[in-house]
Amino acid sequence: MPQPAPLYVPPNPEPDENIRHSLFGEILDWMLAPLLLLWPMSIAITYLVAKSIANQPFDDALEDRVTVLSQQIRTVSGKPVVQLPGSAHDVLRADDVDSVYFQISGPAGLHLDGDRDLPRPRTGSDDDQARGGAVSFRNDSIHGTPVRVAYSYVNLDPLREPGKGAEPELALVQVAETLDKRAHLANEIIKGVILPQFIILPVILALVWFALSRGLSPLAELQERIRARPQDDLSPIDPRQVPEEISPLVGSFNDMLERLAQTVEMQKRFIADAAHQMKTPLAGMRMQSELALRQVDPGEIHRSLEQLATSSESATRLVNQLLALARAENQPHAGLAFEEIDLAQLARATVQDWVQASFAARIDLGFELPDAPPDALAEEPLHIAGNALMLRELLSNLIDNALRYTPPNGSVTVRVRRDGEQALLEVEDTGPGIAPAERAHVFERFYRILGTNVQGSGLGLAIVREIAQQHGAEIDIFNNPRSHSKKFPGSLFRLTFPPPVQEPIDAD
């Protein structure tokens, strides 16, 4: 029975933080968002200001009417009387838009004239001000219709000063009108202010768009200049040709170009050196193979094949070291998977891999640890931060170098010890040693000390230096302090590793 086809599962969407955003769009959003937010706020503020402006002239007219009515109140035989002609009522209510109401009341709420339904003012600061003879204003309603009311109190006994003796008798004068004219005037003011904004706003948006396009045009020009460059052009960009704001970015980009140029140059030099070094073993292999083909004597053929095997071994070792050096140089510190490593355990395991080679060369290969305290049950681990594979490669090259230069019946010792918080890895031999003038050059690729007849590629110590630098280790070369031979003073390679970074402990 055929199996059903698996369902297609779409890939997970890319997280929002990895999505590229347009710089033009970001700036435009941050400029327009506050603008569009402030625009309705501006309309609301304009409306409040318009209402205040519209109220003022109509309040002045109400105040004049209250003043005129207050002057028509007289006291006759101890009673308040309103001397208001009949035609005055028509003048007070003469309004084509709003309805006008007025009311004159004597002491104790005695109605003297006007509309009885007009509500009396509430007690408060404005009411106290009106009792002092000033005209006050309030918003109220009559028959469910909102009105604006101006009112004042008239002292019926002007000879009696307020605050002395009994309270004076006061008459209340109120004039109210509906709000239609005020609303109409406020709307006209708002229209006069808001309508131009509808014309100005698109103009502002167009100017912002144009300004952003002009402001970001240097970025587009820089992009075109970079794209127009040849593929092998790694020269820095002139920071004087870019705006000041992106000069730091251009400076960082130039630094990256410089590092890239150095890397490319190093790779070119590496390929050229590797090709040059590969010529010798390959030429030897070809010569030995051609010689073997021309030989008839089995002994000569066997001897040629042995030489061919030796050349093949040298070529294989050279290729392996080239690959190791390329791998070390192309793994920067950030690319290495560092972990906590017991340096003593790693060194012991690496030394064991070279025991057979030391037996074949008749060299005593040893491994030493620092003396443990008498009360210690086991050796104390010596931890460093590093990459185990690369560190084994480093130590293998040091041991191989020592075995090659140490004569038979000599000794090579690998030692691990602690110096304060730092870990030390030492490889010492009883070979011919390295002169102080040569010590700065032995770490260069394909460098060979003159006068030595040891077969090698000159890459081992270059690999050691590269891996040591990636681990932040310092490497020094000394004479072997335990060697007493003038002909074979020996060498001591010492690597000093920094202590591993301690992770902060969470208090919780």
Side-chain angles (χ1 to χ4, degrees), residues 198-277:
F198 280 101
I199 300 175
I200 295 175
L201 187 61
V203 176
I204 293 176
L205 295 179
L207 291 177
V208 169
W209 186 282
F210 177 75
L212 283 178
S213 300
R214 290 285 299 172
L216 296 178
S217 59
L219 292 179
E221 296 175 0
L222 177 62
Q223 176 185 359
E224 293 300 325
R225 289 204 305 268
I226 294 176
R227 284 184 175 179
R229 284 186 164 205
Q231 295 182 354
D232 57 347
D233 185 6
L234 297 179
S235 60
I237 300 172
D238 188 357
R240 296 172 299 179
Q241 297 180 358
V242 298
E244 182 180 355
E245 288 75 13
I246 61 174
S247 291
L249 175 62
V250 172
S252 301
F253 187 70
N254 287 339
D255 292 341
M256 185 191 69
L257 287 178
E258 182 179 359
R259 295 193 301 268
L260 181 59
Q262 293 176 355
T263 302
V264 171
E265 183 63 27
M266 183 175 60
Q267 293 296 330
K268 290 180 179 180
R269 188 170 61 251
F270 175 82
I271 293 173
D273 293 342
H276 176 73
Q277 292 295 323

Side-chain angles (χ1 to χ4, degrees), residues 283-308:
M285 292 173 62
R286 180 178 179 181
M287 182 183 67
Q288 294 298 332
S289 61
E290 291 177 351
L291 183 61
L293 290 174
R294 290 197 298 266
Q295 295 294 336
V296 178
D297 185 8
E300 294 295 334
I301 294 176
H302 181 73
R303 191 177 300 108
S304 297
L305 291 178
E306 286 181 347
Q307 293 294 330
L308 182 61

Side-chain angles (χ1 to χ4, degrees), residues 65-74 80-85 88-89 92-93 101-120 150-154 156 170-176:
R65 293 179 182 181
V66 170
T67 302
V68 170
L69 288 177
S70 299
Q71 295 174 353
Q72 307 305 316
I73 301 175
R74 298 289 185 270
V81 177
V82 178
Q83 299 178 350
L84 189 63
H89 291 78
L92 284 173
R93 300 182 186 277
Y101 307 91
F102 76 95
Q103 181 188 76
I104 302 176
S105 302
L110 177 64
H111 179 72
L112 299 179
D113 199 352
D115 301 284
R116 296 178 179 272
D117 298 334
L118 191 62
R120 295 180 63 85
Y151 63 98
S152 179
Y153 289 91
V154 178
L156 299 179
L170 300 177
L172 174 62
V173 179
Q174 298 187 98
V175 179

Side-chain angles (χ1 to χ4, degrees), residues 396-408:
S396 293
N397 279 277
L398 285 177
I399 296 174
D400 178 55
N401 183 76
L403 292 176
R404 287 179 178 274
Y405 284 91
T406 301

Side-chain angles (χ1 to χ4, degrees), residues 10 20 36 150 157 258 298 307 316 318 327 401 441-442 484:
R20 296 186 302 172
L36 296 179
D157 189 2
E258 182 179 359
Q307 293 294 330
T316 301
L318 177 60
R327 183 175 62 222
N401 183 76
H441 302 287
V442 294
H484 303 287

